[in-house]
Amino acid sequence: IAYPPVPNPVFLMDVSQMDAGQHNGTYYRQVANDLSKFLHLKQPLKTKDWNGNRPQDHSNEKSSSQRLDICNNEQDPALPELRQKLLEIGEAASEWILTYFITQPQVTVSSPEFMHESLKAWSRDPCIERRQKRH
């Protein structure tokens, strides 16, 4: 399938790259530098001004009780099937992004190796990792 070229410049990053506490801040600084270049800024972005923390959870108990733990098969017997479908979609989406989207000349990727690994993770079941960490 041939896709039309991306008409406008796009900057692609993983949101986890904004978290200064991840990976010793390596990707945090890199994304700031890459974004500064992409935007043609005269002065680089100052990462100390960024709030690299994840958004605070302001949910109340009612919405918390409505959350679905996709790894908790006891919560709903349909979850394994739903999780499998989501993994299939994630794998297809990551493959499309890696094969067709980030190869476009208009697309700038901050930390391509990190992005590649992040996208490949879309096809891995997070529940298996979660179970392994518990044991």
Side-chain angles (χ1 to χ4, degrees), residues 100-124:
Y100 299 104
F101 188 67
I102 66 173
T103 59
Q104 296 284 322
Q106 291 285 72
V107 177
T108 300
V109 180
S110 182
S111 302
E113 299 83 20
F114 180 81
M115 181 61 66
H116 185 270
E117 287 304 312
S118 294
L119 289 167
K120 284 296 185 185
W122 291 10
S123 62
R124 291 193 296 268

Side-chain angles (χ1 to χ4, degrees), residues 2-134:
Y3 292 97
V6 176
N8 298 308
V10 175
F11 184 82
L12 185 63
M13 55 171 264
D14 187 297
V15 71
S16 69
Q17 290 175 267
M18 299 281 291
D19 188 343
Q22 294 282 330
H23 313 285
N24 297 322
T26 302
Y27 299 112
Y28 181 74
R29 289 184 295 276
Q30 185 65 49
V31 76
N33 290 335
D34 291 344
L35 187 55
S36 297
K37 288 177 189 172
F38 178 79
L39 296 172
H40 305 287
L41 300 179
K42 292 180 182 177
Q43 295 181 5
L45 292 169
K46 297 177 185 173
T47 56
K48 67 178 182 161
D49 296 334
W50 289 19
N51 179 2
N53 299 323
R54 294 180 183 211
Q56 292 182 357
D57 184 2
H58 296 288
S59 64
N60 57 35
E61 288 183 23
K62 181 179 178 186
S63 66
S64 179
S65 69
Q66 295 173 344
R67 286 191 188 146
L68 178 66
D69 179 357
I70 198 154
C71 296
N72 184 355
N73 295 343
E74 295 170 5
Q75 190 173 359
D76 187 328
L79 286 177
E81 186 178 340
L82 173 62
R83 190 169 59 247
Q84 183 59 40
K85 187 65 176 169
L86 291 172
L87 286 168
E88 291 169 11
I89 293 168
E91 184 172 16
S94 70
E95 199 57 42
W96 183 86
I97 292 168
L98 288 167
T99 304
Y100 299 104
F101 188 67
I102 66 173
T103 59
Q104 296 284 322
Q106 291 285 72
V107 177
T108 300
V109 180
S110 182
S111 302
E113 299 83 20
F114 180 81
M115 181 61 66
H116 185 270
E117 287 304 312
S118 294
L119 289 167
K120 284 296 185 185
W122 291 10
S123 62
R124 291 193 296 268
D125 188 337
C127 302
I128 293 172
E129 239 178 77
R130 190 188 295 181
R131 282 190 291 263
Q132 289 173 343
K133 286 182 181 179
R134 287 183 189 159

